[in-house]
Amino acid sequence: MPTREDAPIRGRDPSRPPAWPAPPVLPGDDPGSIAIAAERLRAGGLVVFPTETVYGLGANALDARAVARVFAAKERPAFDPLIVHLADASAVGTYAEMEDADDPRVARLAARFWPGPLTLVLRKRAVIPGIVTAGLPTVGLRVPDHPVARALIRAAGVPVAAPSANRFGHLSPTRAAHVVAGLGSRVDLVLDGGPCRVGIESTVILLAAGRATLLRPGGLAIEAIEAEIGRLEVLVDGAPRTAELAPGRAGAHYAPRIPLVLANPRDPEAALAFVVRPGERVGFLAASAAGRAAAEAAGGPFAAVEVLDANGDAVGAAARLFDALHSLQAADLSRIVAEPFPDVGLGRAVMDRLRRAARAAGDVREEPAFNR
Ligand code: AMP
Ligand code: MG
């Protein structure tokens, strides 16, 4: 693995082949690494950094050319806006319209949940280039709760636009190794901060112009948000305004590259999903140890099994979800059967990702994608 001294601090000579088939990976807890990465961001480079949700592919949010490179590296469609990461909540007024930045609900949520896995979508100021927000008049803002992310943003001295550090439509990365495998030298530098604690993307809510709308369930339970600011409006996939308000909710998100179906091993009507035919390699994603036992009683044998949380706890399951899907994806399987997860608390975010993965694989039985 390249060492810190090997890392190219200045831009690569485009006439020469890249020095690394993989990007340099530096230890995130080293102040020297942070200084190199911050300099790279300021110079228009792409730096991958750990957050408590998933790894982010970061660029200076005020530099439209750097942000364009993020879209290119991810092969992300231009209609899908990026979240802007801030070192602390005091910067909200610099990037959001005063009327939204002064909304007392913003102060309340920021005080209660930032740093943390909550993104607030507010009307943007002109300083944020349109490419960041995919042309929308609003911008998603978040203060991440990871010491490496915060040290990097502070050292760079600029807001950092960062989507998840994976190619569009692929699984989100929760370890530096996932990023290296997925993006390679499309990025300039990776800061390794170990596995992500929350493991699932942030909860996104729209508070612009007095609204209170859930755009994406994620690492902060909506029940906790509603306890602070009251009931949230929920968008249902396929409803007329959903695509317009939450453009990133394409069905093919979060997809492993292997067909995935959701099936409850205790449901006799789903029994066929658990039957393994000769020569077939089937993986099972269990919600709990009990789910695994039920699936093994219903069918199998499975070529690979991942248990999200032994006790079926949603926080543990969210933290394991992408790791487990990455492992199953690497296990040379013909298909994956996933046990549904209860739709409350963080379980909603887990089920949201599983439903999308199932839908991407053509399993359309699991509509609508979000219920309550
Ligand atoms: P990620 O891929 O984790 O960076 O998440 C970005 C997602 O946040 C997008 O796909 C949108 O769903 C949501 N988002 C970010 N900014 C906005 C915005 N201005 N308006 C609506 N949704 C947004
Ligand atoms: Mg993403």
Side-chain angles (χ1 to χ4, degrees):
M1 191 186 288
T3 64
R4 201 172 103 222
E5 285 69 35
D6 294 326
I9 298 173
R10 288 166 225 299
R12 230 180 248 141
D13 176 354
S15 65
R16 290 174 44 196
W20 285 278
V25 180
L26 307 185
D29 57 3
D30 173 1
S33 307
I34 298 287
I36 291 170
E39 177 51 38
R40 280 256 135 171
L41 282 177
R42 278 195 300 270
L46 301 189
V47 172
V48 174
F49 60 97
T51 80
E52 80 282 24
T53 60
V54 302
Y55 276 74
L57 171 52
N60 175 357
L62 306 180
D63 178 345
R65 288 179 64 89
V67 173
R69 290 187 63 210
V70 172
F71 281 89
K74 277 189 65 104
E75 298 168 39
R76 184 175 175 112
F79 61 75
D80 195 358
L82 309 185
I83 293 168
V84 174
H85 294 73
L86 308 173
D88 58 72
S90 66
V92 167
T94 311
Y95 304 114
E97 280 291 347
M98 194 191 300
E99 199 187 318
D100 288 350
D102 287 348
D103 181 333
R105 297 172 306 168
V106 170
R108 191 161 180 155
L109 292 174
R112 179 82 177 79
F113 299 118
W114 278 354
L118 173 66
T119 296
L120 302 180
V121 175
L122 308 174
R123 280 170 292 182
K124 79 176 186 74
R125 284 187 187 260
V127 62
I128 299 287
I131 187 171
V132 171
T133 67
L136 292 171
T138 53
V139 62
L141 299 173
R142 174 168 112 81
V143 178
D145 185 18
H146 193 293
V148 175
R150 297 189 78 195
L152 174 66
I153 300 164
R154 216 173 290 120
V158 292
V160 177
S164 51
N166 53 277
R167 271 180 282 158
F168 182 73
H170 288 225
L171 295 170
S172 291
T174 55
R175 294 171 186 274
H178 298 157
V179 178
V180 172
L183 290 173
S185 55
R186 292 176 182 205
V187 302
D188 297 309
L189 190 65
V190 177
L191 291 175
D192 189 347
C196 300
R197 175 173 59 79
V198 175
I200 205 157
E201 300 88 342
S202 60
T203 301
V204 181
I205 64 172
L206 174 71
L207 291 182
R211 298 185 71 127
T213 307
L214 176 72
L215 299 183
R216 173 175 78 182
L220 179 65
I222 62 170
E223 291 88 340
I225 300 168
E226 290 187 327
E228 293 295 323
I229 62 164
R231 194 112 171 128
L232 295 174
E233 175 195 4
V234 167
L235 296 175
V236 176
D237 278 347
R241 297 218 61 205
T242 300
E244 179 192 332
L245 286 172
R249 291 184 29 163
H253 258 175
Y254 316 108
R257 288 192 290 268
I258 302 161
L260 181 147
V261 294
L262 279 159
N264 186 341
R266 299 167 192 84
D267 175 5
E269 288 191 16
L272 212 54
F274 296 90
V275 176
V276 176
R277 290 176 196 81
E280 218 189 3
R281 286 177 56 81
V282 179
F284 182 60
L285 181 65
S288 65
R292 175 186 195 153
E296 283 168 346
F302 302 107
V305 177
E306 292 285 335
V307 178
L308 286 181
D309 185 89
N311 303 314
D313 171 59
V315 174
R320 281 271 310 133
L321 178 67
F322 285 117
D323 227 16
L325 287 170
H326 277 284
S327 298
L328 291 174
Q329 185 168 271
D332 190 27
L333 302 170
S334 9
R335 60 189 173 94
I336 298 169
V337 184
E339 180 183 2
F341 209 88
D343 241 336
V344 288
L346 280 202
R348 288 183 205 277
V350 172
M351 267 310 274
D352 175 75
R353 306 312 186 260
L354 289 176
R355 286 193 180 100
R356 283 169 204 282
R359 210 153 4 126
D363 179 4
V364 291
R365 293 170 303 163
E366 291 295 334
E367 297 287 343
F370 189 77
N371 260 327
R372 64 180 219 183

